Amino acid sequence: MTNQTPEQKARDEIDKMLVAAGWVVQSKNKVNLAAGKGVAVREYQTDVGPADYVLFADGKPAGIIEAKREEEGERLTTHEDQASWYAQATLKYNLNKEPLPFVYESTGVLTRFTDYRDPKPRSRPVFHFHKPETLAEWRGQTETLREKLQNMPALDEQGLRPAQIRAIRNLETSFKDNRPKALIQMATGAGKTFTACTFVYRLLKHANAKRILFLVDTRNLGEQAEQEFLKYQPADDNRKFTELYNVQRLNSGYIASDSQVCISTIQRLYAILKGEDLDEAAELENPNESAWQWQKKAPIPVAFAPRYPVEQFDVIIIDECHRSIYNLWKQVLEYFDAFLVGLTATPDKRTFGFFNENVVSEYTYEESVIDGVNVPYDVFTIETEITRAGAKIKAKEYVDKREKLSRKKRWEQLDEDVEYTAGQLDREVVNPSQIRHIIRAYKEALPTIFPDRFDEKGEFEVPKTLVFAKTDSHADDIIQIIREEFAEGNDFCKKITYKADEDPKSVLTRFRNSWAPRIAVTVDMIATGTDVKPLEVLLFMRDVKSSNYFEQMKGRGTRTLNFDDLKKVTRTARHTKTHFVIVDAVGAVKSKKTDSRPLERKPAVPLKDLLGAVAMGVQDEDLFTSLANRLIRLSRQLTEDEKARFENLSGGKTINQAAGDLLSVYNPDTIEKVQLTIAQEKPGFPPDEIQQALEKELDTLRRRAASVFTGEMNEYIENVRKFHEQIIDTINLDTLRKAEWDSYSTEKARQVVQDFSAYIKAHKDEIIALSIFYDQPYRRRELTFAMIKEVLEILKREKPLLAPHYVWNAYAQLEEVRGNSPRSELAALVSLIRRVSGIDSQLTPYNHIVDKNFKDWIFKKHGGAGQKFSEEQMEWLRMLKDHVAASFHVTVNDLDYTPFDALGGRGRMWQLFGDRAGDLLDELNEALAA
């Protein structure tokens, strides 16, 4: 309708929104409340004047809409009193005995909603009107969700760490205060998903939340979250979470009506709301926000989807939210009328801003290490000459050139010198010697890094190692050289990437739970968000410029693991996982990092990002034109075989035809032609309807042009457009410059030793065992297992970072240590206390000290003219010595247990040694502890 006032235009838009949400819109003179589940009556009379809209659900009045022109959007909150006034009024025919609870203010573009049944009712922006079924259901409830959130029962702290308890309590306080967004910042490995499972359970059970969405950005993370919910068991129920509530991981557009927890990638949810199918390849990698930053125009907005009302979810949990809250993806989050809870280990300024600076939990990696929740790391540096400076291949040299995709080689003589930098390694030039020197240096350094990993045959067991490679091609080169240098077979080292030949999930499961593979090489797939607890080494053979991404990569090694579970996959492990080691072969630890990408970028967009934007349904003239121009340039570089492969993947289109289609759909001639066709088909139709038909037809043409760019096609273009060939430099042989503990690790080791020494000295007067070591050497024979255990328990409780085995490793970096760290934490602790207190000048395993003292004692006994011990007596004395080495003290009562009882116990001891047996025990306790 032409010549409408702004108010009339707003009401037309509101009418459309109501119809889309399932309401029947009627005028006050033609009311039929039986026309549908929900009826919206315009200009319905009240005792204070006509209300713009009165909403009837199941024939009963439920709410009010106060309509305002679009220009009033910025002042919409000032009209809340007016809307409330109508809601409290008496409707004509006295239909309402109480005020109507559901109140909207809307311009047809912006809409705000208040539920006046809530405690301290507060309006909030909503993307769209709620469905009539929802208002009918809400009206029948005795308490609203926000009211129930006021009365959450006390948290059962069983099985939760302090940081998790703090996060859940603060989050529930945030819910109680009706804060729409909350951010949980918790270090990688500190149990974010377990925390989420706990508060999701409480929301479902105690607040009667209808449905909760757990949002991830890769399929791998979605599967991992699903496993967490499957194994989660509440503290107050013997049943598993999934026996109480239905968990659905979305693989299509279907959301089950009886699912209480939905797990989805944000890519899939975006496609669902757009009414589009999603190529599964789009869920494999996290959708880096850079793909959308280049655009001058905003992405095509998400429209209301009647199948997925805005009230579909009560709470949305956004995992790895530092990646998933911007631009294109932000629309998905703002679509639903839900509380938003972000989970991340590495927030940046934008993350804090998006969540309104409502940080309910701040738990850093450093704090988690101090608390013993995560393990610390050391840095071992490997540097080669070519890694540092590159190299030069002189003209006339014969080199291999290798095709990147097929890896087919050919022999060629260089016409001119080729000089390459470190940054070109493994992209344009591959130097096998450089890779080999890094791997060889790593192998040779392993006994230094993990000196206690030799088995009974003297063979070294490689700790579980994750190698970060630059590309899939680089990963293949690394794998081949690792297998050669370690003299191992295929199972020893595997690739875990999205493009691996083997099922990456299967390989990942074996890497996590089985002995083999010992080494995995990845590019991006398990660089973030994936748990592999037995990992003890991260080998960086690629640099990273983003500080957030680097922290996420480091997080792969931070997980704690108890001794029994570590030993299942690493047989020579002697104790629980105390730390992990970053082996830095490219200077990744010290390279300059940025906090995050800037919010605005120059339009020099990587081809990968253009392809990703088109695949996700973004329609923009600049985007289509940019991609078309790149394809036209690329077509000049492709071989005939490569062009044929493109045509095969596209379903018959050549690369130039695909580029032409992208250009055509924004060509003014094409648009004019479509306009003429529609005008001929719809003569006399209103301009608005013709415009809608035009937009629909152009949308169809653009979708058709973009349909070529599937995950498989995009992967092919991304690979084939790179340097077709790599030079294989076998002429320049690399040399190792250094392979050593980084100064960071050395300083950290020194600090750990100082902290341990200071702690022991500070408590030497409070703890009996420590006072004996320091001030009462004559009482060392009185030290018992229980005394040492008390010291260990206090140490673990107050200073978990000073775990005995970790302190031992710190000493090993700073000074020569006699022997490997003992298996027993208690034995290691005794050795460390002896070193700190000055009893031993060099750190020595306690069993070695006991062995030496025993030999000295026997030598004294046998050196005089007195009686020598018989062979059976010596056997008993050796057993007593072994008992002291393990338990620090032996008593008569110990003789009633293993191993003594099998040989006759205390009775046999007295038979062998007579009346001097008791004195002999005292003498041994004193001599062996000296």
Side-chain angles (χ1 to χ4, degrees):
M1 192 179 293
T2 57
N3 299 320
Q4 286 183 307
T5 66
E7 287 79 6
Q8 289 170 327
K9 288 180 180 178
R11 293 187 185 213
D12 283 351
E13 289 302 316
I14 290 170
D15 285 355
K16 291 176 187 176
M17 290 172 67
L18 285 166
V19 170
W23 296 87
V24 178
V25 180
Q26 298 176 349
S27 68
K28 63 181 179 180
N29 299 322
K30 297 180 180 180
V31 176
N32 176 11
L33 298 183
K37 182 80 173 175
V39 174
V41 182
R42 300 191 203 96
E43 299 294 334
Y44 193 91
Q45 192 64 41
T46 76
D47 62 354
V48 296
D52 291 336
Y53 295 82
V54 174
L55 303 176
F56 292 84
D58 285 341
K60 298 177 182 178
I64 291 287
I65 301 175
E66 177 66 22
K68 294 296 175 186
R69 57 182 179 159
E70 185 176 342
E71 291 78 6
E72 289 291 304
E74 65 178 350
R75 301 175 59 247
L76 208 51
T77 55
T78 65
H79 301 291
E80 290 165 358
D81 288 345
Q82 184 182 2
S84 174
W85 189 37
Y86 283 116
Q88 294 177 53
T90 301
L91 300 179
K92 187 178 180 181
Y93 305 120
N94 206 23
L95 294 180
N96 60 319
K97 295 178 181 178
E98 296 178 350
L100 302 185
F102 308 120
V103 177
Y104 299 88
E105 300 86 37
S106 180
T107 66
V109 176
L110 294 177
T111 303
R112 295 189 71 85
F113 168 70
T114 307
D115 185 343
Y116 278 91
R117 303 168 308 147
D118 285 338
K120 298 181 181 179
R122 184 194 306 161
S123 73
R124 60 183 184 265
V126 289
F127 185 83
H128 206 274
F129 296 117
H130 303 99
K131 293 172 73 72
E133 293 85 351
T134 303
L135 295 194
E137 181 186 344
W138 285 354
R139 186 178 55 195
Q141 294 172 346
T142 56
E143 289 181 298
T144 68
L145 173 65
R146 284 162 177 76
E147 195 171 358
K148 289 170 185 169
L149 290 170
Q150 298 290 314
N151 303 302
M152 296 287 280
L155 175 65
D156 186 340
E157 298 179 6
Q158 180 183 338
L160 294 169
R161 297 168 179 150
Q164 294 171 320
I165 294 168
R166 188 165 59 250
I168 295 169
R169 282 181 177 163
N170 290 347
L171 176 63
E172 291 182 357
T173 298
S174 177
F175 286 147
K176 189 175 180 179
D177 294 340
N178 198 13
R179 304 283 290 272
K181 298 176 182 179
L183 177 63
I184 293 176
Q185 186 265 312
M186 194 175 283
T188 300
K192 289 190 296 294
T193 311
F194 187 86
T195 303
C197 290
T198 303
F199 70 70
V200 164
Y201 170 72
R202 287 173 57 78
L203 287 169
L204 293 171
K205 180 174 181 178
H206 302 301
N208 200 27
K210 186 175 181 180
R211 186 178 291 113
I212 294 171
L213 174 65
F214 193 95
L215 208 54
V216 296
D217 62 6
T218 67
R219 189 170 68 196
N220 184 40
L221 290 180
E223 291 166 350
Q224 196 166 292
E226 183 180 32
Q227 289 303 311
E228 285 286 338
F229 277 103
L230 286 170
K231 68 185 181 184
Y232 180 79
Q233 183 171 330
D236 61 355
D237 201 302
N238 292 327
R239 292 167 292 179
K240 297 280 189 184
F241 184 93
T242 47
E243 295 176 283
L244 298 164
Y245 303 105
N246 293 325
V247 176
Q248 179 191 12
R249 186 164 59 82
L250 302 186
N251 294 309
S252 66
Y254 171 68
I255 299 178
S257 59
D258 62 349
S259 61
Q260 283 100 357
V261 175
C262 291
I263 301 170
S264 174
T265 62
I266 199 160
Q267 302 94 301
R268 179 165 297 284
L269 203 59
Y270 175 76
I272 286 172
L273 295 178
K274 294 284 288 177
E276 299 171 352
D277 293 329
L278 182 70
D279 190 323
E280 287 191 1
E283 294 185 289
L284 293 178
E285 299 184 55
N286 72 73
N288 192 304
E289 69 262 27
S290 66
W292 326 105
Q293 298 289 1
W294 66 277
Q295 299 177 87
K296 297 174 185 174
K297 303 173 187 176
I300 293 176
V302 167
F304 178 69
R307 286 182 62 195
Y308 312 102
V310 295
E311 64 269 26
Q312 184 100 37
F313 304 105
D314 288 328
V315 180
I316 299 177
I317 300 161
I318 311 132
D319 194 22
E320 305 296 352
C321 64
H322 61 280
R323 299 195 296 241
S324 312
I325 57 176
Y326 312 112
N327 302 300
L328 187 71
W329 312 124
K330 185 179 177 184
Q331 299 178 85
V332 176
L333 305 178
E334 293 179 342
Y335 177 89
F336 294 103
D337 179 22
F339 287 104
L340 301 182
V341 181
L343 305 178
T344 182
T346 53
D348 57 23
K349 291 176 183 177
R350 293 175 300 172
T351 318
F352 290 123
F354 178 83
F355 287 98
N356 302 336
E357 299 181 58
N358 182 28
V359 185
V360 297
S361 163
E362 283 186 280
Y363 191 58
T364 64
Y365 168 66
E366 289 74 20
E367 288 174 305
S368 72
V369 169
I370 290 169
D371 291 345
V373 171
N374 279 326
V375 296
Y377 67 90
D378 294 325
V379 180
F380 191 90
T381 301
I382 295 174
E383 185 180 283
T384 72
E385 188 60 41
I386 290 176
T387 304
R388 187 180 67 87
K392 180 177 180 179
I393 312 172
K394 294 182 178 178
K396 306 303 181 185
E397 293 280 8
Y398 283 91
V399 296
D400 275 334
K401 286 197 171 181
R402 183 177 71 189
E403 291 183 10
K404 268 197 165 183
L405 293 180
S406 68
R407 295 179 75 83
K408 184 169 66 178
K409 292 180 183 177
R410 63 185 179 84
W411 192 242
E412 183 179 292
Q413 188 179 30
L414 294 178
D415 295 329
E416 55 187 26
D417 292 351
V418 174
E419 191 166 350
Y420 58 91
T421 65
Q424 293 170 290
L425 275 170
D426 307 302
R427 301 187 191 279
E428 299 163 55
V429 180
V430 175
N431 186 309
S433 178
Q434 182 256 355
I435 298 173
R436 190 174 302 280
H437 271 75
I438 290 172
I439 300 305
R440 187 175 292 169
Y442 173 55
K443 179 189 176 186
E444 292 172 353
L446 275 172
T448 301
I449 300 172
F450 290 92
D452 55 359
R453 292 299 172 83
F454 289 91
D455 63 17
E456 59 279 358
K457 297 178 182 177
E459 294 179 0
F460 186 84
E461 182 180 40
V462 176
K464 287 279 185 175
T465 301
L466 181 62
V467 183
F468 294 117
K470 298 171 186 173
T471 64
D472 266 78
S473 179
H474 186 213
D476 285 340
D477 291 332
I478 291 169
I479 288 167
Q480 180 180 330
I481 290 173
I482 284 176
R483 290 171 179 172
E484 289 175 8
E485 287 299 315
F486 283 88
E488 294 287 355
N490 294 346
D491 284 344
F492 180 80
C493 180
K494 291 284 187 182
K495 181 162 73 170
I496 305 180
T497 71
Y498 297 108
K499 299 163 188 168
D501 294 332
E502 289 184 75
D503 175 24
K505 284 196 293 185
S506 172
V507 178
L508 178 57
T509 299
R510 297 204 309 272
F511 186 50
R512 185 185 284 132
N513 301 320
S514 304
W515 187 87
R518 300 307 296 168
I519 300 177
V521 184
T522 190
V523 180
D524 286 314
M525 181 175 169
I526 56 175
T528 64
T530 304
D531 287 341
V532 184
K533 291 184 177 180
L535 265 179
E536 295 186 273
V537 179
L538 302 179
L539 172 52
F540 279 82
M541 294 186 70
R542 61 172 286 195
D543 197 3
V544 185
K545 298 303 180 188
S546 162
S547 57
N548 274 356
Y549 194 49
F550 184 60
E551 290 301 317
Q552 290 279 318
M553 293 167 83
K554 285 197 303 187
R556 299 317 98 219
T558 61
R559 268 62 171 183
T560 57
L561 190 62
N562 64 47
F563 174 56
D564 290 338
D565 288 338
L566 180 58
K567 197 167 177 63
K568 287 175 186 174
V569 294
T570 300
R571 298 163 193 157
T572 58
R574 300 168 68 89
H575 47 72
T576 187
K577 179 178 172 182
T578 59
H579 68 298
F580 71 100
V581 177
I582 291 176
V583 177
D584 186 1
V586 290
V589 171
K590 294 184 177 179
S591 66
K592 187 176 181 180
K593 307 276 190 296
T594 56
D595 282 344
S596 60
R597 292 178 176 83
L599 289 173
E600 295 182 13
R601 301 181 61 177
K602 296 179 181 179
V605 188
L607 177 59
K608 181 180 180 181
D609 293 343
L610 297 177
L611 292 165
V614 171
M616 287 306 302
V618 178
Q619 293 181 8
D620 181 277
E621 183 176 359
D622 290 345
L623 168 63
F624 277 40
T625 303
S626 297
L627 179 56
N629 287 331
R630 301 280 185 95
L631 293 175
I632 291 166
R633 293 206 303 268
L634 179 63
S635 69
R636 301 190 188 105
Q637 304 168 27
L638 298 185
T639 65
E640 291 305 314
D641 287 344
E642 288 165 344
K643 289 179 181 177
R645 174 65 175 154
F646 183 100
E647 196 170 336
N648 182 50
L649 288 173
S650 69
K653 284 187 182 180
T654 67
I655 189 169
N656 286 327
Q657 285 172 335
D661 287 348
L662 290 171
L663 293 171
S664 172
V665 292
Y666 282 100
N667 188 311
D669 292 339
T670 302
I671 295 171
E672 185 179 356
K673 185 177 178 182
V674 174
Q675 281 176 322
L676 288 172
T677 302
I678 291 172
Q680 290 169 0
E681 293 174 351
K682 296 180 179 288
F685 277 67
D688 283 356
E689 194 168 329
I690 290 177
Q691 183 62 31
Q692 286 178 1
L694 172 64
E695 289 175 0
K696 184 176 180 181
E697 182 60 26
L698 290 175
D699 180 66
T700 301
L701 290 174
R702 289 161 188 164
R703 284 173 185 254
R704 193 177 300 148
S707 65
V708 169
F709 303 99
T710 62
E712 187 178 6
M713 171 64 88
N714 291 354
E715 182 184 333
Y716 176 74
I717 294 172
E718 174 62 15
N719 283 322
V720 79
R721 65 109 191 166
K722 295 175 182 175
F723 296 96
H724 278 70
E725 293 181 318
Q726 296 173 312
I727 295 173
I728 310 299
D729 180 7
T730 55
I731 295 157
N732 290 293
L733 300 183
D734 208 353
T735 55
L736 183 67
R737 296 187 79 245
K738 63 180 179 181
E740 61 192 19
W741 288 112
D742 188 81
S743 58
Y744 163 85
S745 291
T746 305
E747 285 305 312
K748 194 162 75 168
R750 189 170 286 111
Q751 189 62 53
V752 166
V753 168
Q754 288 173 359
D755 290 348
F756 179 80
S757 178
Y759 181 84
I760 296 299
K761 289 175 182 175
H763 291 78
K764 66 185 177 67
D765 296 328
E766 303 167 20
I767 303 173
I768 294 173
L770 296 183
S771 66
I772 289 174
F773 276 110
Y774 270 91
D775 304 321
Q776 305 171 58
Y778 61 91
R779 291 186 60 200
R780 267 185 239 147
R781 62 183 179 180
E782 298 174 20
L783 277 173
T784 64
F785 184 87
M787 287 179 179
I788 301 300
K789 191 173 181 183
E790 180 197 14
V791 179
L792 181 62
E793 287 172 352
I794 294 172
L795 186 67
K796 280 187 169 181
R797 186 170 62 248
E798 297 184 0
K799 292 286 184 180
L801 182 57
L802 300 180
H805 288 121
Y806 186 59
V807 178
W808 188 288
N809 289 334
Y811 265 106
Q813 285 192 41
L814 301 174
E815 64 182 39
E816 187 179 347
V817 174
R818 291 178 182 169
N820 294 326
S821 173
R823 291 178 185 273
S824 162
E825 277 189 303
L826 292 168
L829 180 58
V830 169
S831 296
L832 289 165
I833 294 172
R834 290 175 63 96
R835 173 71 180 86
V836 168
S837 62
I839 297 171
D840 298 329
S841 60
Q842 190 175 15
L843 184 60
T844 308
Y846 187 60
N847 64 313
H848 290 198
I849 293 167
V850 171
D851 284 346
K852 180 182 179 301
N853 290 342
F854 181 72
K855 287 176 185 175
D856 292 344
W857 183 75
I858 291 294
F859 184 76
K860 271 185 191 175
K861 290 291 183 184
H862 284 189
Q867 186 178 359
K868 310 295 188 290
F869 294 121
S870 68
E871 187 53 43
E872 189 177 1
Q873 286 176 323
M874 283 299 299
E875 183 181 355
W876 269 80
L877 291 171
R878 290 189 193 98
M879 284 195 299
L880 292 167
K881 179 262 296 183
D882 291 341
H883 183 84
V884 171
S887 301
F888 319 114
H889 188 80
V890 62
T891 67
V892 172
N893 290 336
D894 293 328
L895 302 178
D896 297 332
Y897 301 99
T898 306
F900 307 106
D901 59 340
L903 297 176
R906 72 170 80 190
R908 185 57 183 159
M909 173 91 180
W910 255 256
Q911 286 176 3
L912 284 172
F913 296 99
D915 293 340
R916 61 184 180 138
D919 294 335
L920 203 62
L921 291 178
D922 290 340
E923 198 176 332
L924 272 174
N925 279 323
E926 183 174 356
L928 300 185

